[in-house]
């Protein structure tokens, strides 16, 4: 991911090397090239606009340091602005004062929710927690089974309706799971919910109903970083339809242009909490805006 953007940026910086001082015309030309590079990487237009406005202001401003040459100054500003759009300091998971902490996962079908449920459960176990996975995705025939497989791999219990029990109500399953967690001394409940291939009113309503029933401490929107410009609409729909408190980027190991990853924080106003980088449960880590920004700059 980000290979093209990294190459483009490094080409832009190379042109600045050897320049003694940057004129306003140099700054404008550089800003224009960076704008194009971001747009070609599928970064959403409002994010690009905010980025470029800040870049120009800072490049022209008084902060210009004597210790850095013009190329280094621009690289420093771009680095800091990348960190900024990725969420600055970052934020850690919020835990309930009274366990269980409830984490609800939401996102389109195929975004990586069920895989994330397993990754998160495994990671939380390594932190000394006792998570319970909850199969509230009763839409796809195989979803419950898939969560059970993932739970088995992560070594955590899965709460799911018995096959053929007639319990087909995901809101009830989610609600009941909190009591199950209390009874079985689990301190974290991770609720996997149903997605659809596209934004769908019924899916949003169900997710909103689950949210209302379990009053989660975190509602994590899982987004496939491989999707391009559609990411913005999807993120906005979940922000407005369900209400989200954080984001997880999945499939960062793919070779997409990376625009979704760079836009989602700005578009949703919510922090990116974790990053998923593969199909295995261990391909997962806390998200660090500064590390991602450094990776983009190569
Ligand atoms: P859900 O429909 O949102 O629950 O999505 P799934 O968890 O079933 O994931 C959909 C597909 O994406 C599966 O084939 C996963 O193995 C795959 N997947 C999930 N996360 C990642 C990731 O970070 N990287 C890669 N390469 N594949 C992933």
């Amino acid at each position: 991911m980000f290979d093209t953007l990294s190459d483009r940026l490094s080409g832009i910086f190379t042109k600045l090397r050897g320049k003694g001082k940057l004129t306003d015309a140099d700054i404008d030309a550089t800003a224009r090239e960076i704008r194009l590079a971001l747009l070609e990487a599928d970064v959403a237009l409002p994010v690009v606009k905010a980025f470029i406005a800040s870049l120009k202001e800072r490049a022209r401003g008084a902060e210009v340091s004597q210790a850095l040459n013009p190329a280094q100054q621009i690289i420093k500003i771009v680095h800091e602005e990348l960190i900024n759009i990725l969420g600055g300091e970052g934020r850690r998971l919020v835990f309930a004062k009274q366990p269980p902490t409830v984490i609800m996962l939401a996102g389109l079908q195929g975004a990586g929710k069920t895989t994330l449920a397993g990754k998160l459960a495994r990671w939380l176990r390594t932190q000394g927690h006792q998570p319970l996975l909850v199969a509230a995705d009763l839409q796809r025939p195989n979803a419950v089974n898939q969560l059970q497989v993932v739970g088995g791999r992560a070594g955590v219990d899965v709460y799911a309706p018995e096959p053929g029990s007639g319990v087909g109500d995901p809101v009830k399953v989610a609600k009941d799971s909190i009591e199950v967690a209390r009874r079985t001394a689990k301190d974290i409940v991770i609720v996997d919910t149903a997605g659809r291939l596209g934004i769908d009113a019924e899916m949003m309503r169900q997710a909103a109903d689950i949210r209302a029933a379990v009053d989660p401490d975190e509602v994590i929107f899982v987004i496939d970083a491989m999707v391009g410009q559609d990411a913005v609409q999807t993120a906005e729909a979940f922000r407005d339809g369900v209400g989200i408190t954080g984001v997880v980027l999945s499939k960062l190991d793919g070779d997409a242009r990376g625009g979704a990853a760079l836009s989602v924080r700005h578009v949703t106003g919510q922090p990116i909490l974790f990053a998923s980088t593969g199909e295995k449960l261990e391909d997962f880590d806390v998200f660090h805006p500064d590390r991602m920004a450094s990776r983009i700059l190569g």
Side-chain angles (χ1 to χ4, degrees), residues 9 73 134 150-151 161 176 181-184 186 195 222 226 255 261 267 273 275 296:
L9 289 175
Q73 283 164 7
V134 180
V150 158
D176 290 351
R182 287 210 180 95
R183 224 171 36 228
T184 55
K186 303 290 194 290
V222 185
M226 299 284 285
D255 59 1
V267 168
L273 300 173
I296 294 169

Side-chain angles (χ1 to χ4, degrees), residues 185-254:
K186 303 290 194 290
D187 64 339
I188 299 185
V189 174
I190 301 171
V191 184
D192 189 20
T193 67
R196 299 274 166 88
L197 288 174
I199 299 161
D200 171 296
E202 174 55 29
M203 166 188 70
M204 286 295 174
R205 203 170 317 120
Q206 184 180 96
D209 287 349
I210 293 176
R211 180 183 182 149
V214 300
D215 188 21
D217 300 283
E218 294 274 14
V219 182
I220 294 181
F221 169 58
V222 185
I223 184 149
D224 177 345
M226 299 284 285
V227 302
Q229 289 287 351
D230 284 355
V232 169
Q233 263 177 305
T234 310
E236 283 173 348
F238 276 89
R239 178 197 64 194
D240 299 340
V242 186
I244 61 179
T245 64
V247 178
V248 170
L249 294 169
S250 72
K251 311 190 195 181
L252 274 177
D253 51 311

Side-chain angles (χ1 to χ4, degrees), residues 25 61 78 87 117 132 141 184 195 246 248 252 265 269 277:
V78 169
L132 175 70
T184 55
V248 170
L252 274 177
R265 156 78 219 204
T277 51

Side-chain angles (χ1 to χ4, degrees), residues 22-90:
L22 291 189
T23 62
D24 281 358
D26 287 331
I27 292 171
D28 285 347
T30 304
R32 217 174 301 124
E33 287 184 52
I34 294 176
R35 183 177 191 278
L36 264 181
L38 291 171
L39 287 173
E40 278 173 22
D42 276 342
V43 181
L45 188 58
V47 183
V48 176
K49 280 188 173 161
F51 189 102
I52 295 300
S54 185
L55 170 81
K56 277 189 179 172
E57 191 188 316
R58 293 183 59 188
R60 288 195 184 129
E63 66 178 86
V64 174
S65 143
Q66 298 302 317
L68 300 175
N69 66 40
Q72 288 168 330
Q73 283 164 7
I74 296 288
I75 293 171
K76 179 170 181 285
I77 295 171
V78 169
H79 186 235
E80 287 168 5
E81 288 301 318
L82 283 173
I83 294 176
N84 216 6
I85 60 168
L86 289 166
E89 292 283 304

Side-chain angles (χ1 to χ4, degrees), residues 108-115 119 140 146 250-251 253 276-279:
L108 293 182
Q109 185 176 318
K113 289 182 297 303
T114 306
T115 311
K119 290 175 172 181
R140 267 190 309 140
Q146 193 191 341
S250 72
K251 311 190 195 181
D253 51 311
S276 254
T277 51
E279 298 194 58

Side-chain angles (χ1 to χ4, degrees), residues 70 113 116 125 127 168-169 225 273:
K113 289 182 297 303
L116 172 72
R125 272 196 67 200
Q127 313 279 308
D169 177 2
L273 300 173

